[in-house]
């Protein structure tokens, strides 16, 4: 069965920006940072070509706007996999296809109904083309698929999501795919500031929470979010499925309503998360299942819509310099003056 992850640390390379480095320069940046696992949200050929022969492992995305068509037309799915996957293997290490993003639990019910068909048709296309053993099929879920995620052990899939989720999980069990979760302690804290201790969200020392039902203690919010997903999977009858974090991050700037979005908090979250992943350990509920996570995101993306924070999730600024120092080298060393400034900001 195909596995799409080496080690524990990866990054999302989002490109909703008009000022970020070329894909070739991004390869240089990723190699310097020793980041091997990369996700993109489409199958842009300029990226697929730039990644040829680099050894970087790439998960590509089938965007939501294609999902209904791929679900209805198996031949379109075959063509898409042929043109965007088969044509680039093995020189470009495409190790996964994420079919849609945060589809279940969203507002488009027709899209949600179409997801399983699209997943099956894309999988069958990889099988027909003989690449199913190297390319893992998945889809990423938001927290919007859950009900009662506090304490973690009480989490279940939301009514209305569960009847679409279960057949999807059955299929993923057959093909050996994990449950992919986008989890943001930053957003949980931002929407519930009075209820959540910021140190708990940032992996800083805190008394944490105690889950009576399981007799487990949590010292950080991300572990609790992941175990909530494990509890929901168990409740649905899928206790053997692995949970992988496909997005997590912390914005370094935001709107007035997002006061936790500061360079200092973003640095603390990412520095501590990197340390947490390097320990190669699991969560309280799944201590033996090594946690793997893709960071969101590689760059600040200036064209992203939504809240102010959406433009500032990058580990790197658009010019390839670091947003804050967690030990990664930037594309170019900035002048002494600007590096003095960045120290002041931290």
């Amino acid at each position: 069965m195909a596995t799409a992850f080496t080690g524990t640390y990866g990054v999302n390379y989002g490109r909703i920006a008009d000022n970020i480095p070329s894909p070739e320069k991004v390869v240089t940046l990723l190699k310097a940072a020793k980041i091997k696992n990369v996700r993109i949200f489409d199958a842009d050929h300029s990226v697929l070509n730039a990644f040829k022969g680099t050894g970087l492992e790439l998960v590509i995305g089938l965007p939501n706007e294609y999902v209904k068509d791929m679900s209805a037309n198996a031949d379109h799915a075959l063509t898409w996999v042929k043109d965007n996957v088969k044509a680039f293997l093995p020189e470009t290490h495409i190790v996964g296809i994420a079919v849609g993003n945060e589809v279940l639990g969203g507002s488009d019910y027709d899209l949600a109904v179409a997801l399983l068909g699209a997943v099956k048709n894309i999988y069958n296309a990889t099988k027909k083309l003989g690449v199913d053993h190297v390319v893992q099929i998945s889809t990423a879920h938001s927290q919007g698929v859950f009900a009662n995620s506090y304490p973690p052990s009480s989490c279940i899939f939301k009514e209305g999501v569960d009847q679409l989720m279960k057949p999807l999980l059955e299929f993923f069990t057959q093909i050996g795919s994990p449950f992919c979760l986008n989890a943001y302690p930053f957003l949980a804290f931002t929407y519930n500031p009075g209820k959540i201790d910021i140190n708990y969200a940032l992996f800083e020392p805190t008394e944490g929470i105690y889950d009576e039902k399981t007799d487990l203690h949590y010292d950080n919010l991300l572990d609790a979010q992941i175990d909530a997903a494990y509890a929901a999977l168990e409740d649905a009858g899928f206790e053997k499925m692995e949970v992988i974090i496909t997005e997590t991050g912390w914005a370094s700037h935001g709107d007035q309503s997002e006061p936790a979005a500061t360079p200092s908090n973003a640095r603390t979250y990412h520095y501590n998360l990197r340390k947490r992943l390097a320990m190669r350990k699991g969560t309280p509920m799944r201590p033996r299942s090594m946690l793997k996570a893709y960071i969101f995101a590689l760059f600040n993306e200036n064209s992203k819509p939504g809240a102010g924070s959406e433009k500032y999730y990058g580990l790197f600024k658009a010019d390839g310099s670091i947003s804050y120092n967690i030990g990664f080298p930037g594309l170019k060393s900035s002048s002494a003056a600007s590096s003095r400034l960045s120290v002041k900001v931290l």
Side-chain angles (χ1 to χ4, degrees), residues 15-61:
R15 300 188 328 283
I16 305 175
D18 59 16
N19 59 350
I20 57 175
S22 67
E24 290 72 20
K25 285 202 172 125
V26 169
V27 166
T28 306
L29 186 68
L30 291 165
K31 289 191 142 185
K34 298 187 170 61
I35 297 173
K36 191 176 182 183
N37 306 289
V38 185
R39 292 177 90 235
I40 57 173
F41 294 93
D42 53 21
D44 189 284
H45 288 193
S46 68
V47 177
L48 299 186
N49 281 316
F51 277 55
K52 271 184 182 166
T54 60
L56 297 167
E57 307 205 326
L58 192 60
V59 174
I60 62 172

Side-chain angles (χ1 to χ4, degrees), residues 277-308:
L277 292 169
M279 291 161 82
R280 306 174 83 87
K281 69 185 185 76
T283 57
M285 219 181 263
R286 293 285 188 279
R288 282 185 294 281
S289 186
M290 183 172 77
L291 180 59
K292 302 162 187 164
Y294 288 94
I295 306 312
F296 189 88
L298 192 55
F299 296 111
N300 288 340
E301 295 171 71
N302 69 342
S303 307
K304 282 206 87 163

Side-chain angles (χ1 to χ4, degrees), residues 211-231:
D211 190 331
E212 264 176 50
K213 188 173 150 197
T214 50
D215 191 27
L216 294 172
H217 179 263
Y218 290 87
D219 59 15
N220 72 82
L221 180 50
L222 185 68
D223 278 6
Q225 289 178 323
I226 294 162
D227 278 358
Y230 277 122

Side-chain angles (χ1 to χ4, degrees), residues 2 60 71 77 103 110 116 124 138 143 160 167 180 199 221 237 246 252 301 315 318 328:
I60 62 172
S71 188
V103 170
D110 292 341
L116 180 58
N124 289 335
S138 64
Q143 301 277 354
C180 293
N199 290 326
L221 180 50
T246 32
S252 58
E301 295 171 71
L315 294 174
F328 291 134

